[in-house]
Amino acid sequence: MSTQTVENGRHRVVVIGSGFGGLFGTKHLKRADVDVTLISKTSTHLFQPLLYQVATGILSVGEIAPATRLVLRKQKNAQVLLGEVTDIDLTNNTVTSRLLDQDTVTPFDSLIVATGAQQSYFGNDRFATYAPGMKTIDDALELRGRILGAFEQAELATTQEERDRLLTFVIVGAGPTGVELAGQIAELSDRTLEGTFHNIDPRDARVVLIEGAGAVLGPMGPKLGGKAERRLEKMGVEIQLNAMVIDVDAFGVTVKDSDGTIRRIESACKVWSAGVQASPLGKLIADQSDGTEVDRAGRVVVEPDLTVKGHPNVFVVGDLMSVPNVPGQAQGAIQGATYAAKQIKAGLKGQAPQERKPFKYFNKGSMATISRFSAVCQVGKLEFGGFIAWLAWLALHLYYLVGYRSRIVTVIQWFVTFLGRSRGQMAATEQWVFARLALEAISNGDDEDAEQLAAALGASTNSRVAVDKAHTDAKAG
């Protein structure tokens, strides 16, 4: 175990997480008389709203996930540590992180926790094996492999029933991610892949968007939700509302309708975008603070200044904080982290915690893209859709991309994709799809037949042997 030490006596700020909250909080402390240590389990700053474009071959990982060290290279008071945080001690003011088998203890005077959220399967975590979410780079690359792999397997299918199953894509959850992904899979099959296969017509692909509630893009209201629904249906997307997915397996999903009817949809490629769950660090923090609670999603119910009770030096921001009327979007994380950094700097100038003004969220609106040239946008009471909304969506996302190179390359890729038919990132490997099964077999060591599961998901013999070997080794260990 190693311990991070600072010998200059300056105020020590530890930031956990390299997403929007962590990065903006760190950068806002650039000129402060502090030493900042950013701890993250990934080496990149992920622009999560564009993950679906990695999954559908529009952008590469590099455009949306620059290395955090390179982003902060010119910030002399910032240090980046790679590792997963395993403990936060609010009594001794330390954070413990682990990289491989090495633990590192980092002391702090102020703490900003911005660890975000992960996919929630509402207690059915086994669904993740068959329906990955869209929260990480690994998720996006795995999904790209599954989407493209489904078309490749359909080309080789010997029965119409198997071909139909392989060409059916199910997206669970009609929020922004689900809508954007459904639209891009439809465009991928109708435009990019048209004419590229001999035995199948990719345009025959069936894209099914399932939503447990009664509307598409529910939080954006009926007007914009209706616009998105009509546009998706025009593209051939099959929208099923008031439908709950009650089971997911390798061959499809089981759906329960509002009238109690239970039915099956046979599908090889499924995606889960139906809910989020906060990082477990939220409960870890709340348990150490007398009177602090977490909500149903595991988010910390913070004080008006985004701190936890009894610890005015510990800020919780982004998807990990529970604040009324603050959505789990990038703007909430950015504004929360910026506010926390301002309070830390004010404290260095002598401001007492009780003198802090409460955090106020400024709603800059929300938007979602549906297809090329079509999006919906909500700014205050103003609601609009179509081409103008799509241009606004492009401009906003370009603005928040980190680095001029990423912006330039992204514009080029968008130009090629949206004005033409090709996509620049259509590479996919079998390892992207099945490596996770091997890792799960190693970590779980349960009795499930991993080789049979991999076969059901379409793995080659070599991949099935690798997964089965990992499962056997795990049991033997």
Side-chain angles (χ1 to χ4, degrees), residues 90 94 116 186 286 355 454 471:
L90 299 188
T94 61
E355 296 175 335
H471 179 258

Side-chain angles (χ1 to χ4, degrees), residues 317-330:
V317 304
D319 290 345
L320 194 60
M321 70 179 184
S322 178
V323 178
N325 302 318
V326 179
Q329 299 174 350

